Amino acid sequence: LGLHGGGHGRSPKGRRMGRRMWRRWSQQLIRQVHGRTCSVVSVDRSGLMGISEDTEKKPTPPPGSDTPLARHVASLIRFRGGPLTLAEFMHEAMTHPKHGYYTQGDVFGSKGDFITSPEVSQMMGELMGIWALCAWQQAGQPKKFRLVEIGPGRGTMMADLLRATSTFREFVNALTVHLVEVSKPMRRLQWTMLRCQTLREHFGDAAGPNADTEDVGISFVSGATVHWHADLDEVPDGPSVILAHELLDALPAHRFMKTERGWREVLVDVLDHNVEGESSCALRFVLAPGETPASRLLLPSRLKGLDPEKVAELGAIEVSAKAMAYSQKIAMRVEQQGGAALLIDYGKDGPHESSLKAIKDHKFVDALHAPGKTDLSVDVDFSAVRQAVEEQGAGSDNKTMLHGPVTQASFLYSLGIRTRLESLLQHASEEQKESLLTGFKRLVDNAEHGGMGDKYMAVAITRMNAPTPIAFEEAATVMSE
């Protein structure tokens, strides 16, 4: 369906007539597809809350809004005849195969748009290695297990982890590394960071079939075999220690606002079409005039997991169905295969009303600025993660549970970061000492002092009948009280 009233779109007057007719006639569409009824998102833009009918007071597109991804999104909106959900927009903006943010190369570190904890200091990856080693021991020291990292960035954390644990030969000999990464440019960076060789380069003629592929290699950091996968489901069965740092915040989220007409979903729409002087792909946020599939199905399920008094206080809420689903996927693997998982992200133990952030060149920008060239994220709602994990495997003898959250500072102090710092300082140059101290403060200090220590939170997933994982004992004591 066109948005300009068909044949009326050939002249300015005709276009105005077409838009008025479209606004008057359009309504929620119900189509019969192969004998099944299919609801289509309403395209009645006159009902979308927040859209001005005064053509002289149009919203101003954010600077830099004309990008290849923005043009793709605008075309998608026009093709389907209605706005995208925020979750759909985030998915396109971050993972589009050609124009998505994560598919365009290295976005981490000082030259990227943001810096993660493993990029701040080697101590982060080293202590994650201690946690993984302890988790392997608590699982009974299986002779073979999978060390999995989901979203490994540049591979910095895994490189530091493998180096720090390389002297624990029984641990190293038991593990195979599995990196879950969809971006080919990021895979190349990880290959280099882990100093990998192909099987043929390492074993020569004895390497066997598929010896030249870069989906598997031998890391010279510790001698471990490293495999790459596009999804967690591709990792072979077996006990696993799963690590994910800043994974959930990057997954798309829906946002809903409480209005006089009830909960309404926030959507992403194009600005009015063919208005002189406007970018044809400029985007804006609007509110759905009625129910959407997410407000009808996802939102009630999430609200049931919250205290009614908390729900009454909310004026808006973000819900990441993908974060909850991925948490369940991880929990299912732990339940069925054994092992443990550790997730570290920024967020809180409760819902967020409006945490959507856009970062470009280490600065916060408008969420619709330069789509595809800007990092989009939302703070993690760890109470939603707990809800998802507890719903997974109900009634199973190996049902899983969530430990935490605990602050990153508490997590690192429990693992001995101060002792590790003192050890490193003994053999460091003056320049190295300054770098180590700066990194230490960044990892454990509170946000008001420029640190990540209280903003980032850690949670662990284990079977309910497994020992409490290291660094979460105090949280377990508080929960039991």
Side-chain angles (χ1 to χ4, degrees):
L1 292 174
L3 296 179
H4 304 131
H8 294 289
R10 298 188 178 183
S11 68
K13 180 178 179 181
R15 287 195 295 270
R16 288 194 296 272
M17 290 176 61
R19 284 196 294 273
R20 286 197 296 270
M21 292 170 66
W22 180 254
R23 286 169 177 155
R24 185 168 62 250
W25 292 340
S26 63
Q27 57 187 330
Q28 185 165 13
L29 305 178
I30 303 294
R31 294 176 178 169
Q32 295 294 326
V33 181
H34 301 298
R36 292 179 296 176
T37 300
C38 176
S39 297
V40 181
V41 175
S42 172
V43 293
D44 180 5
R45 286 186 165 80
S46 65
L48 290 170
M49 302 165 69
I51 294 182
S52 170
E53 292 297 322
D54 187 344
T55 57
E56 296 183 358
K57 296 182 179 180
K58 297 296 179 184
T60 303
S65 57
D66 189 0
T67 64
L69 193 283
R71 290 192 288 274
H72 164 72
V73 169
S75 297
L76 190 60
I77 291 171
R78 293 187 179 102
F79 176 77
R80 62 185 272 173
L84 304 182
T85 66
L86 174 60
E88 290 171 326
F89 169 71
M90 290 181 68
H91 175 76
E92 292 292 333
M94 302 304 287
T95 63
H96 184 273
K98 186 175 181 181
H99 305 305
Y101 180 76
Y102 282 128
T103 59
Q104 298 184 52
D106 187 3
V107 298
F108 300 93
S110 59
K111 294 183 180 179
D113 290 315
F114 58 93
I115 299 176
T116 60
S117 297
E119 302 292 336
V120 169
S121 172
Q122 68 184 68
M123 291 182 285
M124 186 71 192
E126 290 171 346
L127 294 178
M128 294 281 275
I130 297 302
W131 192 91
L133 174 61
C134 292
W136 170 72
Q137 291 174 334
Q138 289 181 320
Q141 302 185 28
K143 296 299 182 182
K144 292 185 179 181
F145 83 104
R146 325 296 181 191
L147 178 59
V148 183
E149 184 178 2
I150 308 171
R154 297 165 69 181
T156 304
M157 185 181 80
M158 183 57 70
D160 290 335
L161 185 159
L162 292 177
R163 177 177 45 76
T165 58
S166 61
T167 57
F168 297 90
R169 295 315 302 176
E170 190 175 356
F171 173 75
V172 173
N173 293 336
L175 69 83
T176 52
V177 176
H178 297 265
L179 302 181
V180 179
E181 175 63 71
V182 297
S183 168
K184 290 190 180 298
M186 296 309 298
R187 286 189 180 194
R188 288 192 289 270
L189 287 171
Q190 294 152 14
W191 180 278
T192 301
M193 182 66 70
L194 295 175
R195 296 162 51 202
C196 284
Q197 284 189 335
T198 65
L199 297 183
R200 185 174 303 283
E201 290 171 331
H202 189 76
F203 294 110
D205 294 337
N210 302 317
D212 298 310
T213 178
E214 292 192 352
D215 288 336
V216 57
I218 304 297
S219 170
F220 268 66
V221 176
S222 70
T225 303
V226 184
H227 301 262
W228 275 264
H229 309 277
D231 191 85
L232 180 61
D233 292 334
E234 297 177 8
V235 177
D237 290 347
S240 304
V241 175
I242 302 171
L243 308 174
H245 188 281
E246 290 199 50
L247 165 71
L248 300 181
D249 70 281
L251 298 179
H254 296 264
R255 185 166 186 253
F256 308 91
M257 295 187 68
K258 190 183 292 182
T259 74
E260 293 180 353
R261 294 191 276 178
W263 288 99
R264 293 292 180 263
E265 184 167 10
V266 175
L267 306 175
V268 176
D269 196 12
V270 291
L271 287 170
D272 281 356
H273 306 270
N274 295 335
V275 177
E276 186 177 353
E278 289 185 355
S279 170
S280 62
C281 62
L283 305 171
R284 61 170 171 173
F285 290 116
V286 296
L287 286 181
E291 281 192 333
T292 62
S295 67
R296 185 168 59 251
L297 300 173
L298 174 63
L299 180 61
S301 174
R302 176 67 189 110
L303 294 180
K304 285 181 181 178
L306 295 172
D307 185 276
E309 292 184 3
K310 180 62 179 178
V311 174
E313 296 172 357
L314 292 172
I317 187 172
E318 293 168 342
V319 183
S320 176
K322 288 206 170 184
M324 296 178 72
Y326 216 115
S327 300
Q328 282 194 329
K329 179 185 286 191
I330 294 171
M332 181 184 298
R333 185 175 181 95
V334 172
E335 174 203 338
Q336 296 177 351
Q337 306 292 332
L342 174 68
L343 291 76
I344 299 180
D345 230 310
Y346 52 88
K348 67 177 183 180
D349 195 12
H352 302 273
E353 293 197 1
S354 179
S355 70
L356 176 65
K357 292 181 289 295
I359 301 176
K360 183 172 176 55
D361 300 326
H362 300 277
K363 297 178 181 178
F364 289 106
V365 296
D366 186 284
L368 298 177
H369 171 80
K373 299 182 181 298
T374 303
D375 174 52
L376 298 177
S377 64
V378 293
D379 288 6
V380 177
D381 175 1
F382 287 106
S383 67
V385 175
R386 181 181 298 106
Q387 179 181 346
V389 170
E390 289 179 350
E391 290 175 354
Q392 165 58 36
S396 168
D397 291 339
N398 294 320
K399 180 174 169 53
T400 54
M401 65 176 293
L402 189 81
H403 303 265
V406 298
T407 65
Q408 177 173 285
S410 172
F411 175 78
L412 293 176
Y413 278 127
S414 296
L415 290 171
I417 188 171
R418 193 181 299 278
T419 302
R420 179 56 179 157
L421 174 66
E422 293 172 354
S423 175
L424 290 170
L425 289 174
Q426 290 178 4
H427 307 285
S429 66
E430 290 303 314
E431 183 179 352
Q432 290 171 331
K433 287 179 180 179
E434 182 179 353
S435 177
L436 287 167
L437 288 168
T438 300
F440 169 77
K441 291 178 180 178
R442 185 80 184 278
L443 289 176
V444 301
D445 277 359
N446 290 343
E448 61 183 312
H449 297 126
M452 305 171 167
D454 61 341
K455 183 63 174 174
Y456 282 72
M457 311 292 285
V459 294
I461 301 173
T462 68
R463 292 174 174 175
M464 291 190 72
N465 54 13
T468 300
I470 186 173
F472 291 91
E473 296 91 347
E474 185 176 339
T477 302
V478 172
M479 289 288 290
S480 64
E481 293 176 351

